[in-house]
Amino acid sequence: MRLRVPPGAPAALKVLAAAAAAPAPVRPHLGGPAERPQAPGPELELQLELDSGTVLFSPNAICQYFYLCRGEEPTDLTTQWLEWEATELQPAVAAALYLQLVQGRAGPDALGVLQPLLAHLEQHLARSGTSHLAGDAASVADVVVWGSLFPALQDETSLPSELQVLRSWFGAVSAWEPCRAAAALLPEALRELRSHLAQHPPHLPGPRREPQQDEESPERALTNDDIAAAVEIWARGPAALPPPWEPRTPVLPVEGERNVLITSALPYVNNVPHLGNIIGCVLSADTFARYCRLRRWNTLFVCGTDEYGTATETRALQEGLSPQELCDRYHALHADIYTWFRISFDHFGRTTTPQQTRIAQDIFQRLLARGFLLQDTLEQLRCESCGRYLADRFVEGTCPFCGYAEARGDQCDKCGKLINAVELQNPQCKLCRGTPVVTPTQHLFLDLPKLEGRLEAWLERTWAAGEWTANARHITRTWLRDGLKPRCITRDLTWGTPVPLDGFRDKVFYVWFDAPIGYLSITANYTDQWERWWKNPQQVELYNFMAKDNVPFHSVVFPCSLLGADDNYTLVNHLIATEYLNYEDGKFSKSRGVGVFGDMAKDTGIPADVWRFYLLYLRPEGQDSAFSWADLLLKNNSELLNNLGNFINRAGMFVCKFFGGTVPAMALTDEDQRLLARVTLEMRQYHQLMEKVRLRDALRCVLGISRHGNQYIQVNEPWKHIKGDERDRQRAGTVTGVAVNVAAALAALLQPFVPGVSAAIQGQLRIPPEHCGLGPGLTCTLPTGHRVGTVRPLFQKLEPEQVEALRQRFGGGQAKQPPPASAPPPAPNTSAAPGDPKLIQELTEQVAKQGNLVRQLKAAQVEKAQVAAQVAKLLELKQQLALAEGRSPEVPKGKRKK
């Protein structure tokens, strides 16, 4: 193994300490780059090249790999600490070091930034009673957390005297030989780090920064007030639950209500979305949209395919289709994928519509009239072999700033700087690998410098009130720090929105001016009252979901277009950006057959809700994460099957087995009341996290509730008490009744994440629809006398050989095949007996989804043969539903002869 450790890399200490602790057979290259690889990444990036040629970039993943070499498997606790260090501790330490090294503000100022996190460490160590973070022996968690803290603290005397347990831990780890050896490199590293921080200042938290472990955390000790409040909510029963939200058609803003408009970045129509695309945009947005509806917020969720541009033209030529035919084909494919993943769009549209042309041209005319456009000569690269001007992403060459050899014509993936394609050294046409020629041509530019003042004033107001992820704020600050420059908004193409200006009518709008306007036009295709959403900032909250590479276009370019148009447009209030999801040890690649893509997931035999769960469980919120088949097996079998599924199945089965399917009488003891309080605190934390769009952490609250439930059942052993005297039987009844009500609460909490599983729980427990809402805490939703239905296991175990076969299948050996125009919906379990509520629920959902797909295809005016095929599937599903309900299926009527 070969480890590259650039000077001043913030993560150098923990990586070198982990390598020494393992000990790992690694050859470190200190102070300079390794011979290979030169991979994209920031200036101070570590790289570990394995003997197999695989490269690891994440410092925490490298540390964990060293410990795997030592034979130590990660545990849930060590994984949680690594996530906490990456998402909470790292940003705070960077801010503290900036204050110390760059601003010279050592002591209380720098330590104050870390104070809430240090208190969290102190509380954990004191409460756990162990000498280290994950037990009595030093683990990868101790090395990683120590490695982050040491540059800011350097010794335990820097810690406040009241943090005695933390001081003891920090001193012991610092004295450990692997850490002491790594710390010897610190002085030189800090000099390099100071220079880096001066050029790239981190986000400094404000003076009112809240502790990460806040007062509502379920980990804190329960108080009498907690217990009393939980018992009061429990006693209110279904009255504590809000009624289901019944959306109007179409969904429109309502004065006096919370009106939430949700968009996810428009997937490009040429690309079949892979798992990273799905979690970064549509799945994250869908999870939040479902939560909003559960909260009865007036919610509209729109998305659609981005269909214009050179890539579409080129792909259409390759496949012998017109651009419109290609878009029709791929739009149907995208719609089918998202339907299978249970994405609950209110409308899934597209950008190739008359409304897109009308709205984009109107914004353009308003910008032109207000003096925010300018004309200039643009030198473009033209490929004479292909006979066309090359779009930026169809040019590749050497970055003029950092020398990266595979920079694109619009941006360098290594240093992150924006590039004009003509600035590339040694440019190549990605289509034919020929050398393009620089050709001057007149174009129109959005005058971003003239709009910079308006943008900064708007950002200041929005950031003060909105939820923007840390990476979204940082990327936007980077653009502003470097100064805005005019941005070209036209291209020499034919497939796009026409430019309505003499002298430019042979051009179309550039995709990054045109595509975000698709949110507006897609809404306009949904309702002719679209302006009530998009020209109503006083009453509408706008959430944008995307991966981090889309941030500047949504935080700078698009807002500037709308600010310059000056027509009271609704601008983004909450910009939610993820990092990247990688595949195993590399990247997704359709051409190389590496990774799982949306049109393949349904063929794995793994249910859609399992995919949803796992993607949301590892959602890359604070740093890049990686899909792993081994981890998918682990999370399915441990979290879904043994934790969540086990608890819900046991709770329901006890009702059926011991009490004839009827919820028994309950007489709460102090222990039961403590469980109510603990679950209620978890639910409050869940709400706080969901409102901040911290979806991954909120999901962990749900799993925490099922853990509390399993522990409660295990300690109270109702299967033993049911065999005892009347008092014991009453105890068994109370435990069973409380447990099945916790299961009912989980059905509601799970709905945003795994809606199919949620519906199955509701069906099995026969929870009335009006009692499926999210309350303020645990309520007695299923009172004494309520009858449950047939209880079945919710999840199936994944076997190692099954997962290994899938890993091999998606590891690079997939055949290259053109995607089908559509794919059939997942087959329901038709082997169940007629009248089975689970089967009826599955088929009802399938009929609704298939009907929605048919309507979308008809609205998109795709080929009649494609529509007919989907209609046939819809009729087949309706016949299956009729049989399941005990009705005679209707025979489809043919056309009457004239």
Side-chain angles (χ1 to χ4, degrees), residues 676-752:
L676 305 187
R678 187 63 70 194
V679 172
T680 293
L681 284 180
E682 289 275 15
M683 291 178 69
R684 289 180 183 174
Q685 181 78 346
Y686 168 93
H687 282 301
Q688 292 174 2
L689 292 166
M690 290 296 284
E691 289 181 12
K692 293 179 178 294
V693 204
R694 290 173 58 181
L695 308 178
R696 186 183 63 186
D697 292 337
L699 179 56
R700 280 159 171 72
C701 286
V702 180
L703 298 172
I705 290 173
S706 60
R707 285 194 186 92
H708 290 309
N710 275 315
Q711 185 178 13
Y712 172 73
I713 288 176
Q714 206 63 31
V715 168
N716 286 280
E717 300 179 322
W719 60 90
K720 290 184 179 179
H721 285 291
I722 197 66
K723 300 175 183 178
D725 57 20
E726 183 59 32
R727 183 177 178 181
D728 282 341
R729 288 182 60 82
Q730 184 184 57
R731 183 63 190 149
T734 297
V735 172
T736 298
V738 170
V740 78
N741 272 283
V742 174
L746 285 169
L749 294 165
L750 285 166
Q751 205 280 336

Side-chain angles (χ1 to χ4, degrees), residues 773-792:
L774 270 178
L778 179 60
T779 64
C780 186
T781 305
L782 308 180
T784 300
H786 173 86
R787 289 196 62 81
V788 303
T790 303
V791 177
R792 292 189 178 89

